[in-house]
Structure formats: C-alpha cells, structure tokens
Amino acid sequence: MSEIKKVVLAYSGGLDTSIIIPWLKENYNGCEVIAVSGDVGQGTELDGLEEKAIATGASKLYIADLKKEFVDDYVYPTLKAGAVYENKYLLGTSFARPIIAKRIVEIALAEGADAICHGCTGKGNDQVRFELAIKRFAPQMKIIAPWRTWEFKSREQEIEYAEQHNIPLKINRETNYSKDKNLWHLSHEGLDLENPWNEPMYDKILEMGVSPEKAPDEATYITLSFEKGIPVALNGEKLDGPAMVAALNELGGKNGIGIADMVENRLVGMKSRGVYETPGGTILYHAHNKLEEICLDRDTYHYKQQVAIRFAELVYFGQWYTPLREALSAFVDSTQEKVTGDVRLKLYKGNIIDAGVKSPYSLYDEDIATFDEDEVYDQNDSAGFINLFGLPIKVQAMKEQAAAKQDQ
C-alpha cells in the first residue's frame, strides 16, 4: 500500500464513491485522491459535486463533458446495430462506462497516478466494464476496487459510515435505490425491486416520464429523419445527438414510453431485477428498425438481427474496445449506407404506433407487391420455385415411403 501515493477515483457523488474518498485516505496512508466525473448527461446530479468531493478529502475534481462523444461514438453505433440485451435492455449503463473509463485513464496518466479506483460492487457488471477499458488504455495501471476488500457488507453499513464521517448524501434508507442516470436512460435496482413478484411503484420511482395510465389521452405524432442510419432531424428540425435524445426523452416520457421491467442475466452469472427508463431510446430503436424494413434486403436484414445479439453481448460485457466489436461496427456501417429516410410515428399511452415510412432507397415496390392486377410479376413462376425449394422435403418423403413398403 505504501507505493500508492496518488489515486484517481471514478466519482459520481453517490453513496459508494462518496465514502470511498475518506476510506482511501484511511487505508492508503493519506494518499492524494483526485476525483473524476464523466458528464454523460446526469444533469443536476453534477450540481455541487466539486464542493462535495473536496470537502470529503479529494484534492481536485475533473468533470469531463462527454455528452456529444457519448451519443455520436457509443450510442448511435449501438443503435445502428439494433443491439438490445435480452430483448429489453437498451444498454444505457453499459455503453456509458467505456467512455467514462477511457477519460479517467487519460487523466490518471496525465496526473502520474499510481492507481485508479472505482466504486463498483463485486456482484455487478460495471466492474468488468471499467476494468477492461483500463486494461485497454493503461495495461500496467493498478486498480483498486474497495467493494472486494473493505469491511462494508451492505449499503446500510455504507450509510452508517457516511453519517459517522459527516458525508452528505442525497438518499436515505427509505429511498436507497441503486440508480444510474445519463442522457440515454435511468435505471433503478434494489429495495422492493429485488423481489420480482413486486410490481414496481412507478409513481414513486419514475423520473423521466409517467406510467402509460397517466399519459395524455391524445396521441402525439412525430417524424424522424435518418441519414445513413443516424437520426438527424425531428419534425424537420435538425438536431445533434444530445439534443435529439433529450427531445425524444421529453416526448416519450410524457407519453409513458420506454419503461422496461426485467430480470436480466448479469455477466458474473447471477440474475438481477431492474427497472429501466429509456423513452427517447425506445423511440429511436423503433423508428430505425422501421426504416430498415424498407431499405435493407431480406438476407442482410435477417443476418443483421443475428449480429445485433452478439453486438449487445459485447456492449453489456464491457468489451467495447475489442477487435470483434470494431469489426461488427464496420459491418453495421456498411449496411447503413442507404438507411436514409423519414419515419412517422404515433405515441400513445406507452405505445409506439407506425404511421408511415419513406426512403429514396426503399426496396418496397408497390407494383410488385400489389394484390391488384399487375404486369411485372408472373405468378406462374412460383410453381417452379416451390418445386425446387421443396425438393429436399419431397425426396425425404419418397425415401421414407419406400422404406416403409420394404418393411411390410
């Protein structure tokens, strides 16, 4: 421990990282602690953070504005891939960790730090996401993970430690949900949610929107415009990444969209129950898929669905900075060259209802698809196709019939 003189801490100002600062100084001979917060859209959670960090023992606090890079280089590539973990989770925490960890490493190297510390628990996924990124950009850096070694066994004990050290907290024992917020989503875990039989108390926990029951009785129509798979305009207004997500969060939230209650399989092997709010992201995924329906050929569309599952696993498992993720992104980018057009949607009480789609690259041909009379498709052609397509089935049936006769 004596060689650890300067530590860079991934700092959120939440329960874990709030008590880690004094804990590090007590257990590492009064080492200097430099706090780093990556701003990926936490909003008011960052208010007063510098004052709090210094008051609890940090020598300084860096707040890195990562919002645009977060959306452009992490969120949108995942959106284009159509990657969803276990059919529900839109990966809000998962793809935020690599960009935060990368910035922390950059600061740690610039500061000449001896170690990087994080407040992730030994049961969670985030420890993997942070540490894989650290290994990618600073393979020799020491990593301190207090949850694996310290004396606290529960969040209750952490709160007691904070009270003993006069560390201000924004939570109490009754509202002690474990949360993660960024521009893309808000997650809720713990307390009554740990029992999957309990219905979430949405009136108590929702922050980004309302439940479908409390959404307006009148539908909201929107039009999203995409260029090469990237959303670029909402109702004709050009928006950059952060502005687009923020605007759709507001529209989706007020219409009760994007609430996911799931029991997921964590990387470390256990199942975990959480509630996710992702209103804007849910709209974007729906719209992007709708546009791909008319822009991608059948084989590409189907194969891309398989890729999406693996891509989601890589993101969830913290393997963003890997050759496979980069290779899959290259494939995805190639599929998005003609995913350009407009999608019209109706938002109503938690539902996203398709209301129209168009693209200059649409592969949909009304003349071919029509049930009315046409001159471009010869329906007699299908007979030969079916004969060839069904030949293996026919041969198998004939062989089985012949074998059955021999047995008689």
Side-chain angles (χ1 to χ4, degrees):
M1 291 187 182
S2 59
E3 71 274 14
I4 305 294
K5 294 181 173 59
K6 184 184 291 189
V7 179
V8 167
L9 169 65
Y11 185 73
S12 69
L15 175 59
D16 295 328
T17 57
S18 292
I19 68 170
I20 281 176
I21 294 176
W23 184 88
L24 283 170
K25 298 178 80 69
E26 289 174 359
N27 288 270
Y28 288 88
N29 300 321
C31 65
E32 179 184 359
V33 179
I34 298 172
V36 179
S37 294
D39 181 2
V40 286
Q42 298 94 313
T44 58
E45 289 186 5
L46 298 173
D47 294 348
L49 211 57
E50 182 176 13
E51 180 182 359
K52 179 179 178 179
I54 293 175
T56 50
S59 62
K60 67 178 76 170
L61 170 69
Y62 288 91
I63 297 181
D65 186 353
L66 304 173
K67 293 188 289 295
K68 192 173 189 313
E69 183 183 353
F70 172 50
V71 177
D72 292 348
D73 297 345
Y74 296 78
V75 175
Y76 280 174
T78 307
L79 167 68
K80 289 191 293 184
V84 181
Y85 187 68
E86 297 188 340
N87 299 314
K88 280 189 176 182
Y89 178 40
L90 298 185
L91 299 164
T93 298
S94 306
F95 49 34
R97 297 315 190 211
I99 184 174
I100 294 172
K102 180 183 178 183
R103 184 65 182 123
I104 289 170
V105 169
E106 290 169 353
I107 292 172
L109 293 175
E111 286 281 355
D114 303 305
I116 291 174
C117 178
H118 64 75
C120 308
T121 75
K123 290 184 177 181
N125 302 303
D126 279 347
Q127 58 181 336
V128 182
R129 296 163 184 158
F130 271 110
E131 294 187 28
L132 291 189
I134 294 169
K135 292 179 186 300
R136 170 63 180 83
F137 296 107
Q140 309 303 324
M141 182 69 68
K142 294 183 177 64
I143 298 173
I144 300 173
W147 261 104
R148 299 176 194 159
T149 60
W150 66 11
E151 62 273 25
F152 310 120
K153 304 302 180 185
S154 67
R155 290 173 69 82
E156 175 72 23
Q157 292 178 0
E158 288 183 274
I159 293 175
E160 291 176 358
Y161 180 88
E163 292 172 344
Q164 293 167 5
H165 289 74
N166 297 313
I167 299 172
L169 300 174
K170 294 182 180 180
I171 62 172
N172 56 47
R173 288 170 172 80
E174 289 70 38
T175 62
N176 187 22
Y177 288 102
S178 177
K179 298 183 181 184
D180 178 70
K181 181 180 181 181
N182 59 45
L183 187 63
W184 185 250
H185 90 152
L186 174 62
S187 64
H188 311 265
E189 293 179 313
L191 298 182
D192 55 293
L193 296 177
E194 291 188 344
N195 183 345
W197 183 248
N198 290 335
E199 180 180 2
M201 295 182 286
Y202 289 126
D203 290 344
K204 179 180 178 181
I205 67 174
L206 293 181
E207 298 180 27
M208 297 183 72
V210 299
S211 63
E213 297 92 331
K214 294 194 173 183
D217 292 331
E218 184 178 351
T220 299
Y221 281 87
I222 64 170
T223 299
L224 279 165
S225 301
F226 289 80
E227 292 180 4
K228 295 186 176 183
I230 295 175
V232 294
L234 172 61
N235 297 329
E237 180 184 359
K238 293 283 187 179
L239 297 174
D240 68 7
M244 175 68 74
V245 175
L248 289 174
N249 277 339
E250 182 178 354
L251 289 169
K254 76 175 187 179
N255 283 283
I257 287 168
I259 303 168
D261 177 3
M262 67 180 294
V263 176
E264 68 198 62
N265 289 292
R266 286 183 177 175
L267 172 59
V268 295
M270 70 186 69
K271 290 185 181 289
S272 172
R273 195 270 187 100
V275 171
Y276 297 102
E277 299 180 62
T278 322
T282 302
I283 295 170
L284 283 173
Y285 265 78
H286 186 106
H288 179 260
N289 179 69
K290 188 64 181 177
L291 188 58
E292 284 192 325
E293 286 180 6
I294 66 170
C295 292
L296 297 185
D297 65 278
R298 180 193 63 202
D299 289 349
T300 300
Y301 185 66
H302 288 181
Y303 190 76
K304 188 170 174 291
Q305 290 175 327
Q306 300 177 47
V307 170
I309 295 174
R310 188 69 181 102
F311 197 106
E313 288 179 339
L314 291 172
V315 178
Y316 188 85
F317 295 164
Q319 296 173 295
W320 185 269
Y321 302 115
T322 60
L324 178 56
R325 200 282 305 166
E326 293 171 358
L328 292 185
S329 281
F331 163 75
V332 168
D333 286 345
S334 72
T335 70
Q336 301 297 290
E337 284 297 316
K338 295 183 179 180
V339 182
T340 295
D342 298 323
V343 181
R344 189 168 63 239
L345 301 172
K346 180 166 66 173
L347 314 179
Y348 183 68
K349 288 189 175 296
N351 296 291
I352 304 175
I353 303 166
D354 297 326
V357 59
K358 63 179 181 179
S359 169
Y361 303 107
S362 174
L363 298 177
Y364 179 82
D365 191 322
E366 189 174 348
D367 290 337
I368 293 178
T370 181
F371 283 97
D372 293 331
E373 183 178 356
D374 69 82
E375 298 179 355
V376 296
Y377 183 88
D378 187 346
Q379 298 198 29
N380 290 321
D381 290 344
S382 62
F385 163 74
I386 294 171
N387 286 336
L388 292 177
F389 190 66
L391 184 59
I393 298 174
K394 182 177 179 180
V395 170
Q396 181 180 2
M398 293 170 60
K399 291 292 185 179
E400 290 175 352
Q401 289 175 353
K405 286 183 180 180
Q406 289 181 350
D407 292 339
Q408 290 177 352

